Amino acid sequence: MLRVAIVGATGYTGCELLDILIGHPEVKITSLTAKLDAPIKIHDEFPRFKGRIDLPCTPLDAGEVARSSDLIFLSLPHGVSMKYAALFLKAGKKVIDLSADFRFADVGVFQQWYGIRHEQTGLLKEAVYGLPELHAERIRTARLIANPGCYPTGSILALAPLVKERVVELDGLVIDSKSGVTGAGRKASLPLSFGECNESFRAYKVGAHQHTPEIESELGILAGHALAIQFTPHLVPMNRGILTTAYARPLKETSTEEIINLYGRFYAKAPFVRVAAKGRLADTKDVWGLNYCDISIVVDNRTHRIVVISAIDNLVKGAAGQAVQNMNLMSGFPETMGLA
Amino acid sequence: MLRVAIVGATGYTGCELLDILIGHPEVKITSLTAKLDAPIKIHDEFPRFKGRIDLPCTPLDAGEVARSSDLIFLSLPHGVSMKYAALFLKAGKKVIDLSADFRFADVGVFQQWYGIRHEQTGLLKEAVYGLPELHAERIRTARLIANPGCYPTGSILALAPLVKERVVELDGLVIDSKSGVTGAGRKASLPLSFGECNESFRAYKVGAHQHTPEIESELGILAGHALAIQFTPHLVPMNRGILTTAYARPLKETSTEEIINLYGRFYAKAPFVRVAAKGRLADTKDVWGLNYCDISIVVDNRTHRIVVISAIDNLVKGAAGQAVQNMNLMSGFPETMGLA
Amino acid sequence: MLRVAIVGATGYTGCELLDILIGHPEVKITSLTAKLDAPIKIHDEFPRFKGRIDLPCTPLDAGEVARSSDLIFLSLPHGVSMKYAALFLKAGKKVIDLSADFRFADVGVFQQWYGIRHEQTGLLKEAVYGLPELHAERIRTARLIANPGCYPTGSILALAPLVKERVVELDGLVIDSKSGVTGAGRKASLPLSFGECNESFRAYKVGAHQHTPEIESELGILAGHALAIQFTPHLVPMNRGILTTAYARPLKETSTEEIINLYGRFYAKAPFVRVAAKGRLADTKDVWGLNYCDISIVVDNRTHRIVVISAIDNLVKGAAGQAVQNMNLMSGFPETMGLA
Amino acid sequence: MLRVAIVGATGYTGCELLDILIGHPEVKITSLTAKLDAPIKIHDEFPRFKGRIDLPCTPLDAGEVARSSDLIFLSLPHGVSMKYAALFLKAGKKVIDLSADFRFADVGVFQQWYGIRHEQTGLLKEAVYGLPELHAERIRTARLIANPGCYPTGSILALAPLVKERVVELDGLVIDSKSGVTGAGRKASLPLSFGECNESFRAYKVGAHQHTPEIESELGILAGHALAIQFTPHLVPMNRGILTTAYARPLKETSTEEIINLYGRFYAKAPFVRVAAKGRLADTKDVWGLNYCDISIVVDNRTHRIVVISAIDNLVKGAAGQAVQNMNLMSGFPETMGLA
């Protein structure tokens, strides 16, 4: 049994990780920590775990976490993760970091968009961007995974085949994305209160969201050169789910069938990408609680544009589920174990 | 034109008051204040008011408020209101207080349930409980109105005819009430965040909610003696509305028709109480944004019980609308002015 | 592997059954049927199953279902189930019926509340009411299970210990219950449309809901005599979850601790009942997607009443999860298999 | 007093019209009709109107409607409206048609996108597209108004200044729009049921929505030539509101301030367009129940693109409110009467 720890267990992502890992047949959860003054039972904070796991959640004692576990999920704020990642790696542990700290090869991009000084630049080269559909081979042998952001997961998977296969103009990609409220984290916040979010739909951080460079970075690698995308996130009055509507111009005339076939080939070995048949459109409801990324395609010959729509559960494929998928690959388990 | 001020304009109730008063033909809003470091435009906080009213919202300067207005709505925390009420009354102004500070004739009850020492006990006798369906005459001549709580409004109106007319056993009333989330106020709070409230239904403060003694106090006046009710509030994942389901045992056999007729007579002169025909049930949706209290009645002869269900909009009849209804009565305006 | 069929797979309950059974380690799903003109892929109707199960959903051919499966879940309308139950039992199969057809020992009660003539009265004696917390032993050896209704599950579990142990007055139980919208089934219906349910809270079928006699019947068995309860269902703008608030009068002075202890003992061997510690209140969110019934207790000494609040997921413990729990017992599997 | 009729009063738009017109100081509602077998009270269908208006809603008798009213709102299905519009115009009445029947100068476009044969082509020339921000002068003297669709209202207002003033490339406009569920009408429909819409976010009719040619037609008039837009509608789990995110490429370098100023000038005389200050973003919540179109602008110099976000209430500015705005102009009332 793989001994795993969750550092930062009381956020939505930590809680989802726990929910998934409880059902994983090859995992033993050995440590849960959070920013606390004193240990609690995890079900004191989340009654849904009562009777399902009987583990205390304690203030973080890095030495203790290292002693008791083989692989550590870090669900910590950006800028805080890097220090602990370094520490656990040094202790010979594997680390899956759910923050943005190791997602950028170019430290300047990270520092510019996050406004945080990077203190572990030596690890950036080793860190692998944990999107298994693109980097499965490197993930298998990685010690440090930078688990992707939620918007980037849905956006990159939506556009990767078009970019990689040179089907579309790379100057002018538009990504209009819509997320449920848990994507903003679990915290006391007036703008995230029910009275402010319910019966409300709004955009935020237009052209300025920190997930923008992450999408650009990965699509840029596929393109072979830097590119800029227009990314607009919106807040949907629902708990979970991200729908991403991406717009691209084909370089030459094509058809919905042709592009669906392209995606089918591109993701032939990806167990968690489901390409919809012609005429079907992705819906966040269909991936609720699941690790799938559903992708649907419409080629609009009237306007000469390809519209790609992807749906994920922001807490599963967009965070905790993808982290477990990465853990499976790193540990030699079947990629779908505990996730199907 | 009546010059009015709203002290505490940036909560949900203050905002709703403003929304209603903007459309009131006999009112001029002269002052908006809130807990602020510096003046803002009210539409900086609530963009919905942009172009509809062009008034600054300022830190509270009681002298300035008194100078510029004739009637003052206090939408302040319990315990804070009392001080300002006294001050404005002294300046010769009329006051409608939306806090609980003046709702109890018995200061001991207030102090016990609110845990606050009352510092203006001299005003308790003068204050009139602002439920127009029961106290219209006293409201007309009052200087100080204690505007009822949201749950008490729905609960008292649901049971008043049965209690007043001695139709039911008074020992054993059960009130099961369900409120939209704005009832808890506008604030940063984890339990009130969207992710915690959506797809959640829960009770809170069972047997211990501070609105319990307010209901008991008013029903006790109607009964002619003290009584205890079982009151359970619940939180509904919606913005607005309170549905109250009240259970009582009739002293003798009766029928739905008979009780509907009783309510019809009892509320014959109450423009904002609508008693439903037999077979129709109250729905919070039907009073959304309106100052009505809808009441529906089922006499269950199988179980020998009367079930009364009332619906109000917690921000309108449960707060701001009722305050304006009181203002109308105090000012000699038609009771429904600006509310229909 | 136990070969199971779902007859009526395209409702919310059928879909939830499928979701649970896909993950059950001892089950092979061999047949899915629904009211259809021609076979479909189940993921044509529910895209969430794409890639997870590759089975057609066909028009019902009872012979084929009997040939291919050992145990059959019937998720059919009341009155329709009885005929197929009889047929499958005759073919030597085990049947778990999710309709109300076999829930009443007294056929007159069924016919009165459902307005349907019972055509398989010979099976009523053999059918076992599938609430494992009360009837586990009989369930283990049953051929025909009447799977409980959603409201009755939450209501009976909330009150059973009080009734069985003679702690409360049996004349005067009030059950105020609130359900998410999926409880009403999957269908085109104006009152169930989003625009009519969202930002709405309402009661329905007050004193007249067909689950009333089911609750009375089971509590009556525990009491040793017939009793009448006041049952009021309400519709909550959320997908899943039932919160039940039950009110009872203790026969003698008691305390929250004492009643919590009583429940702890009563449900000591029930893996899916979680009794909350003093001060904690049940929330539908905490059982979302889980087979638990969470129960919380407040003894109100001011009013001399016991308030019991239970929470279930109407589609899991209130339907499909409980059906699988019954299947586990009938098949000699661990009670929690595939449900934890 | 202007005597008005609502033909088709039991849909969401008809109901909203009634809600607005009840408060209009210069209007007397004289007739309500709907597809009915026999007359009902309007509050039998919509209890929210009880006590507010006491008018029967009857099966449509066109002669009676014409006799009793001066101006008629048609809230009828596409293809049905045209016949009644012709009839009422012939009787000398003014007509505001909320269907699409008269929105297109080019009858071929109508017939192609709606699949309906136009039988009153003679009226197309006379009909005025009722978007007051663009056509106020013609509306004042019109007899027949084609009230705009909900998506087109938000989309056209978002882009009109950029198109009219030749600021952006016209080949390549992308409009990504998100609507609350009432936009789909009031009807029994499985895809519109609560269980299917709540916790769901999805696109529909991608590149094929019938509002596309309406947007293209009006923007084409402003441009002086035909243009094609990419339009994608989505369904948001909320009752009301449309947020439209539009993407355009500027022909030359510009700035957020410059574009905000342009919009300010363009809409200087439009009382219902509110252009947000730099840094503020439109939110459907801020126009809930109001007739405003809020517009916010971000010029992204990193990507050389202008992002315009508009918010309307689909039932108010997107339907009933705009219809009343048109009525005001046609009747010589102040444009904002009854709407502020």
Side-chain angles (χ1 to χ4, degrees):
Chain A
M1 299 287 274
L2 184 72
R3 301 176 308 153
V4 309
I6 303 174
V7 172
T10 56
Y12 286 128
T13 297
C15 176
E16 188 73 14
L17 258 175
L18 187 50
D19 230 326
I20 296 171
L21 291 171
I22 284 174
H24 196 289
E26 293 289 343
V27 157
K28 183 176 163 56
I29 305 164
T30 49
S31 174
L32 302 175
T33 80
K35 205 172 177 182
L36 293 165
D37 294 326
I40 59 169
K41 289 279 181 185
I42 189 67
H43 65 246
D44 290 336
E45 186 68 19
F46 298 110
R48 69 181 281 105
F49 293 117
K50 194 173 167 186
R52 301 170 63 208
I53 184 167
D54 189 30
L55 208 62
C57 184
T58 64
L60 173 52
D61 172 340
E64 181 50 35
V65 169
R67 265 187 298 281
S68 66
S69 58
D70 307 313
L71 183 149
I72 295 142
F73 294 97
L74 296 180
S75 187
L76 292 171
H78 309 305
V80 177
S81 253
M82 54 180 78
K83 170 184 151 191
Y84 291 100
L87 200 151
F88 290 126
L89 288 172
K90 209 165 175 181
K93 307 300 169 179
K94 291 183 180 178
V95 172
I96 297 176
D97 177 23
L98 289 101
S99 85
D101 287 1
F102 298 100
R103 293 182 192 157
F104 299 90
D106 182 342
V107 68
V109 172
F110 172 79
Q111 294 184 162
Q112 176 195 339
W113 286 82
Y114 285 84
I116 296 170
R117 206 179 119 75
H118 209 296
E119 292 169 1
Q120 301 292 339
T121 51
L123 291 171
L124 288 175
K125 200 156 184 182
E126 180 180 359
V128 177
Y129 189 74
L131 194 62
E133 289 73 17
L134 297 183
H135 303 300
E137 286 321 303
R138 292 184 58 213
I139 292 167
R140 285 184 213 277
T141 58
R143 290 196 313 153
L144 171 58
I145 293 292
N147 209 62
C150 51
Y151 285 123
T153 296
S155 297
I156 297 165
L157 292 177
L159 289 173
L162 297 182
V163 171
K164 182 75 186 327
E165 306 298 335
R166 304 289 185 275
V167 176
V168 295
E169 291 179 20
L170 297 181
D171 173 26
L173 298 173
V174 168
I175 300 176
D176 191 283
S177 215
K178 303 89 176 174
S179 175
V181 182
T182 57
R186 186 167 178 262
K187 58 191 170 200
S189 150
L190 180 56
L192 298 183
S193 70
F194 188 88
E196 301 294 303
C197 292
N198 190 45
E199 286 294 304
S200 159
F201 188 90
R202 58 186 192 260
Y204 62 104
K205 293 190 185 176
V206 178
H209 193 281
Q210 69 277 7
H211 283 171
T212 310
E214 191 178 331
I215 302 167
E216 291 176 345
S217 166
E218 285 294 309
L219 293 182
I221 292 168
L222 292 169
H225 59 78
L227 49 74
I229 55 137
Q230 189 68 41
F231 176 69
T232 313
H234 301 76
L235 204 59
V236 188
M238 62 184 186
N239 281 356
R240 287 167 176 241
I242 292 179
L243 196 92
T244 296
T245 313
Y247 300 90
R249 276 182 198 273
L251 290 169
K252 58 187 183 69
E253 184 92 348
T254 182
S255 68
T256 300
E257 292 83 349
E258 202 173 357
I259 302 298
I260 287 177
N261 286 338
L262 167 68
Y263 275 64
R265 289 191 306 272
F266 193 92
Y267 291 122
K269 294 182 180 164
F272 289 116
V273 174
R274 301 189 293 198
V275 181
K278 191 181 175 184
R280 303 301 296 249
L281 293 173
D283 184 331
T284 62
K285 176 178 68 224
D286 296 327
V287 294
W288 214 105
L290 300 175
N291 196 49
Y292 290 98
C293 177
D294 280 0
I295 298 181
S296 48
I297 287 149
V298 175
V299 174
D300 190 337
N301 282 318
R302 208 180 61 89
T303 58
H304 309 292
R305 218 182 246 98
I306 302 174
V307 183
V308 185
I309 300 175
S310 71
I312 60 169
D313 181 322
N314 57 297
L315 293 178
V316 187
K317 184 61 179 168
Q322 184 142 273
V324 172
Q325 189 181 354
N326 282 315
M327 178 198 78
N328 284 342
L329 291 172
M330 295 164 84
S331 310
F333 304 147
E335 187 169 353
T336 60
M337 183 174 266
L339 290 167
Chain B
M1 300 287 274
L2 183 73
R3 300 176 308 153
V4 309
I6 302 174
V7 173
T10 55
Y12 287 129
T13 298
C15 176
E16 188 73 14
L17 258 174
L18 187 50
D19 229 326
I20 296 171
L21 291 171
I22 283 174
H24 195 289
E26 293 289 344
V27 157
K28 183 175 162 59
I29 305 164
T30 49
S31 175
L32 302 175
T33 80
K35 205 172 176 182
L36 293 166
D37 295 325
I40 59 169
K41 289 280 183 184
I42 189 66
H43 66 246
D44 289 336
E45 186 68 19
F46 298 111
R48 66 180 284 106
F49 292 118
K50 194 172 167 186
R52 301 170 62 209
I53 184 166
D54 189 30
L55 209 60
C57 183
T58 64
L60 173 53
D61 171 340
E64 181 51 34
V65 169
R67 265 188 298 282
S68 66
S69 58
D70 307 313
L71 183 148
I72 296 142
F73 294 97
L74 297 180
S75 187
L76 292 171
H78 310 303
V80 177
S81 254
M82 52 179 80
K83 170 183 152 193
Y84 290 100
L87 201 150
F88 290 127
L89 287 172
K90 208 166 177 179
K93 307 300 170 180
K94 292 184 179 176
V95 172
I96 297 176
D97 178 23
L98 289 102
S99 85
D101 286 1
F102 298 100
R103 292 181 192 159
F104 299 90
D106 182 341
V107 68
V109 172
F110 172 80
Q111 293 183 163
Q112 176 194 340
W113 286 81
Y114 285 84
I116 295 169
R117 205 180 119 73
H118 208 296
E119 291 169 359
Q120 301 292 340
T121 52
L123 290 171
L124 287 175
K125 202 158 183 180
E126 180 180 0
V128 177
Y129 189 74
L131 193 62
E133 289 73 17
L134 298 183
H135 304 299
E137 285 322 303
R138 292 184 58 213
I139 292 166
R140 285 184 212 279
T141 58
R143 289 195 314 153
L144 172 58
I145 293 292
N147 209 63
C150 51
Y151 285 123
T153 296
S155 297
I156 296 165
L157 293 176
L159 288 173
L162 297 183
V163 170
K164 182 76 185 327
E165 306 299 335
R166 306 290 185 273
V167 176
V168 295
E169 293 178 19
L170 296 181
D171 173 26
L173 298 172
V174 168
I175 300 176
D176 191 283
S177 216
K178 301 90 176 171
S179 175
V181 182
T182 57
R186 185 166 178 264
K187 58 191 169 200
S189 150
L190 180 56
L192 299 182
S193 70
F194 188 89
E196 302 294 304
C197 292
N198 190 45
E199 286 293 304
S200 160
F201 188 89
R202 58 186 192 260
Y204 62 103
K205 293 190 185 177
V206 178
H209 193 281
Q210 68 278 7
H211 282 172
T212 309
E214 190 177 331
I215 302 167
E216 291 176 345
S217 166
E218 285 294 310
L219 293 182
I221 293 169
L222 292 169
H225 60 78
L227 49 76
I229 55 137
Q230 187 69 40
F231 176 70
T232 313
H234 303 75
L235 203 60
V236 188
M238 62 184 185
N239 281 356
R240 287 166 176 244
I242 292 180
L243 195 93
T244 297
T245 313
Y247 299 90
R249 275 181 200 273
L251 291 168
K252 58 184 182 74
E253 184 92 347
T254 181
S255 69
T256 300
E257 292 83 349
E258 203 174 355
I259 302 298
I260 287 177
N261 285 339
L262 167 68
Y263 275 64
R265 291 192 304 272
F266 193 93
Y267 290 122
K269 293 181 181 166
F272 289 116
V273 175
R274 300 188 295 198
V275 181
K278 190 181 175 184
R280 304 299 299 248
L281 294 173
D283 184 331
T284 62
K285 175 178 68 223
D286 296 328
V287 295
W288 213 105
L290 300 175
N291 197 48
Y292 290 98
C293 177
D294 281 1
I295 298 180
S296 49
I297 288 149
V298 175
V299 175
D300 189 339
N301 283 318
R302 208 180 62 90
T303 58
H304 310 291
R305 219 183 245 98
I306 302 174
V307 183
V308 185
I309 300 174
S310 72
I312 60 169
D313 182 321
N314 57 298
L315 293 178
V316 187
K317 184 62 178 167
Q322 185 143 271
V324 172
Q325 188 181 353
N326 282 316
M327 179 197 79
N328 285 340
L329 291 172
M330 294 164 83
S331 309
F333 304 147
E335 188 170 353
T336 60
M337 183 175 267
L339 291 167
Chain C
M1 298 287 273
L2 182 73
R3 299 176 309 154
V4 308
I6 303 174
V7 172
T10 56
Y12 286 129
T13 298
C15 176
E16 188 74 14
L17 258 175
L18 187 50
D19 229 326
I20 296 172
L21 291 171
I22 284 174
H24 195 289
E26 293 289 343
V27 157
K28 182 175 163 58
I29 305 164
T30 50
S31 176
L32 302 175
T33 81
K35 206 173 177 181
L36 293 166
D37 295 325
I40 58 168
K41 288 279 184 185
I42 189 65
H43 65 247
D44 289 335
E45 186 68 20
F46 298 110
R48 66 180 284 106
F49 293 117
K50 194 173 166 187
R52 300 170 63 207
I53 184 166
D54 189 30
L55 209 62
C57 182
T58 64
L60 174 52
D61 171 341
E64 181 51 33
V65 169
R67 266 188 298 282
S68 66
S69 57
D70 307 313
L71 183 148
I72 296 142
F73 294 97
L74 297 180
S75 187
L76 293 170
H78 309 305
V80 177
S81 253
M82 52 180 79
K83 170 183 150 193
Y84 290 100
L87 202 150
F88 290 127
L89 287 172
K90 208 164 175 181
K93 307 300 171 180
K94 292 183 179 175
V95 172
I96 297 176
D97 178 23
L98 289 101
S99 85
D101 286 1
F102 298 99
R103 292 181 193 158
F104 299 90
D106 182 342
V107 69
V109 172
F110 172 79
Q111 293 184 162
Q112 178 194 338
W113 286 81
Y114 285 84
I116 295 170
R117 205 179 119 74
H118 208 295
E119 293 168 359
Q120 300 293 340
T121 51
L123 290 171
L124 288 175
K125 200 156 184 181
E126 180 180 359
V128 177
Y129 189 73
L131 194 62
E133 290 73 16
L134 297 184
H135 304 299
E137 286 321 302
R138 292 183 59 213
I139 293 166
R140 284 183 213 279
T141 59
R143 289 195 314 153
L144 172 57
I145 293 293
N147 209 60
C150 51
Y151 284 123
T153 296
S155 298
I156 297 166
L157 293 177
L159 289 174
L162 297 182
V163 171
K164 183 76 186 325
E165 306 298 336
R166 305 290 187 274
V167 176
V168 295
E169 292 178 20
L170 296 181
D171 173 27
L173 298 173
V174 169
I175 299 176
D176 191 283
S177 215
K178 303 89 177 173
S179 175
V181 182
T182 57
R186 185 166 179 263
K187 59 192 171 201
S189 150
L190 180 56
L192 298 183
S193 70
F194 189 88
E196 302 294 304
C197 292
N198 190 45
E199 286 294 302
S200 160
F201 189 90
R202 58 187 192 259
Y204 63 102
K205 294 189 185 177
V206 178
H209 193 280
Q210 68 278 8
H211 283 172
T212 310
E214 190 177 332
I215 302 167
E216 291 175 346
S217 166
E218 285 294 309
L219 293 182
I221 292 168
L222 292 170
H225 60 77
L227 50 74
I229 55 138
Q230 187 69 41
F231 176 69
T232 312
H234 301 76
L235 204 59
V236 187
M238 62 183 185
N239 281 355
R240 288 167 176 241
I242 291 179
L243 196 92
T244 297
T245 313
Y247 300 90
R249 277 181 198 275
L251 290 169
K252 59 186 183 69
E253 185 92 348
T254 182
S255 68
T256 300
E257 292 83 350
E258 202 172 357
I259 302 297
I260 287 178
N261 286 339
L262 167 68
Y263 276 64
R265 289 192 306 271
F266 192 92
Y267 290 122
K269 294 181 181 165
F272 289 116
V273 174
R274 300 188 295 197
V275 181
K278 191 181 175 184
R280 303 300 297 249
L281 294 173
D283 184 331
T284 62
K285 176 178 68 225
D286 296 328
V287 294
W288 214 106
L290 300 175
N291 197 49
Y292 291 97
C293 177
D294 281 0
I295 298 181
S296 48
I297 287 149
V298 175
V299 174
D300 189 338
N301 283 319
R302 207 180 63 89
T303 58
H304 309 292
R305 218 183 247 98
I306 302 175
V307 184
V308 185
I309 300 174
S310 72
I312 61 169
D313 182 322
N314 57 298
L315 293 178
V316 186
K317 182 63 179 167
Q322 185 142 272
V324 172
Q325 189 181 353
N326 282 315
M327 178 198 78
N328 285 341
L329 291 172
M330 295 164 83
S331 310
F333 304 147
E335 188 170 352
T336 59
M337 184 175 266
L339 291 166
Chain D
M1 300 285 274
L2 183 73
R3 300 176 309 152
V4 309
I6 304 174
V7 173
T10 56
Y12 287 128
T13 298
C15 175
E16 188 74 15
L17 258 174
L18 187 51
D19 229 326
I20 296 171
L21 292 171
I22 283 173
H24 195 289
E26 293 289 345
V27 158
K28 182 174 164 58
I29 305 165
T30 50
S31 175
L32 302 176
T33 80
K35 205 173 176 181
L36 293 166
D37 295 325
I40 58 169
K41 289 278 182 186
I42 189 67
H43 66 247
D44 289 336
E45 186 68 19
F46 297 111
R48 67 180 283 105
F49 292 117
K50 194 172 167 185
R52 301 170 62 208
I53 184 165
D54 189 30
L55 209 61
C57 183
T58 64
L60 173 52
D61 171 340
E64 182 51 34
V65 169
R67 265 188 297 283
S68 66
S69 58
D70 308 314
L71 183 149
I72 295 142
F73 293 97
L74 297 180
S75 187
L76 293 171
H78 310 303
V80 177
S81 253
M82 54 179 80
K83 170 183 151 194
Y84 290 100
L87 201 151
F88 290 126
L89 287 172
K90 209 165 175 179
K93 307 301 171 181
K94 291 183 180 177
V95 172
I96 298 176
D97 177 24
L98 288 101
S99 85
D101 286 2
F102 298 100
R103 292 182 192 156
F104 299 90
D106 181 342
V107 70
V109 172
F110 172 80
Q111 294 184 161
Q112 176 195 340
W113 286 81
Y114 285 83
I116 295 170
R117 207 179 117 73
H118 208 296
E119 292 169 0
Q120 301 291 341
T121 51
L123 290 171
L124 288 175
K125 201 157 185 181
E126 180 180 359
V128 177
Y129 189 73
L131 193 62
E133 289 72 17
L134 297 183
H135 304 299
E137 284 322 302
R138 293 183 57 212
I139 292 166
R140 285 184 212 280
T141 58
R143 289 196 313 154
L144 172 57
I145 294 292
N147 209 62
C150 51
Y151 285 123
T153 296
S155 297
I156 297 165
L157 293 177
L159 288 173
L162 297 182
V163 171
K164 182 77 186 324
E165 305 300 333
R166 305 290 186 276
V167 177
V168 296
E169 292 179 19
L170 296 181
D171 172 27
L173 298 173
V174 169
I175 300 177
D176 190 285
S177 216
K178 301 91 177 173
S179 175
V181 182
T182 57
R186 185 167 178 263
K187 59 191 169 199
S189 150
L190 180 56
L192 298 182
S193 69
F194 188 88
E196 302 294 305
C197 292
N198 189 46
E199 286 293 304
S200 160
F201 188 90
R202 59 187 191 259
Y204 62 104
K205 293 189 185 175
V206 178
H209 194 281
Q210 68 278 8
H211 283 172
T212 310
E214 190 177 332
I215 302 167
E216 290 176 346
S217 166
E218 284 295 309
L219 294 182
I221 293 168
L222 292 170
H225 59 77
L227 48 76
I229 55 138
Q230 187 69 40
F231 176 69
T232 313
H234 302 76
L235 203 60
V236 188
M238 62 183 186
N239 281 355
R240 288 166 176 243
I242 292 179
L243 196 93
T244 297
T245 313
Y247 300 90
R249 277 181 198 274
L251 290 169
K252 59 185 182 72
E253 184 92 347
T254 182
S255 69
T256 300
E257 292 82 350
E258 202 173 356
I259 301 298
I260 286 177
N261 286 339
L262 167 68
Y263 276 64
R265 290 191 305 272
F266 193 92
Y267 290 122
K269 294 182 181 166
F272 289 116
V273 174
R274 302 187 294 198
V275 181
K278 191 182 176 184
R280 303 300 298 248
L281 293 173
D283 184 333
T284 62
K285 176 178 69 225
D286 296 328
V287 294
W288 213 105
L290 301 174
N291 196 49
Y292 290 97
C293 177
D294 280 1
I295 297 179
S296 49
I297 288 149
V298 175
V299 174
D300 189 339
N301 282 319
R302 207 180 63 90
T303 58
H304 309 291
R305 219 183 246 97
I306 302 175
V307 184
V308 184
I309 300 174
S310 73
I312 60 169
D313 182 322
N314 57 297
L315 293 178
V316 187
K317 184 62 179 168
Q322 185 142 272
V324 172
Q325 188 181 354
N326 282 316
M327 178 198 78
N328 284 341
L329 291 172
M330 294 164 84
S331 309
F333 304 147
E335 187 170 353
T336 61
M337 183 175 266
L339 290 167

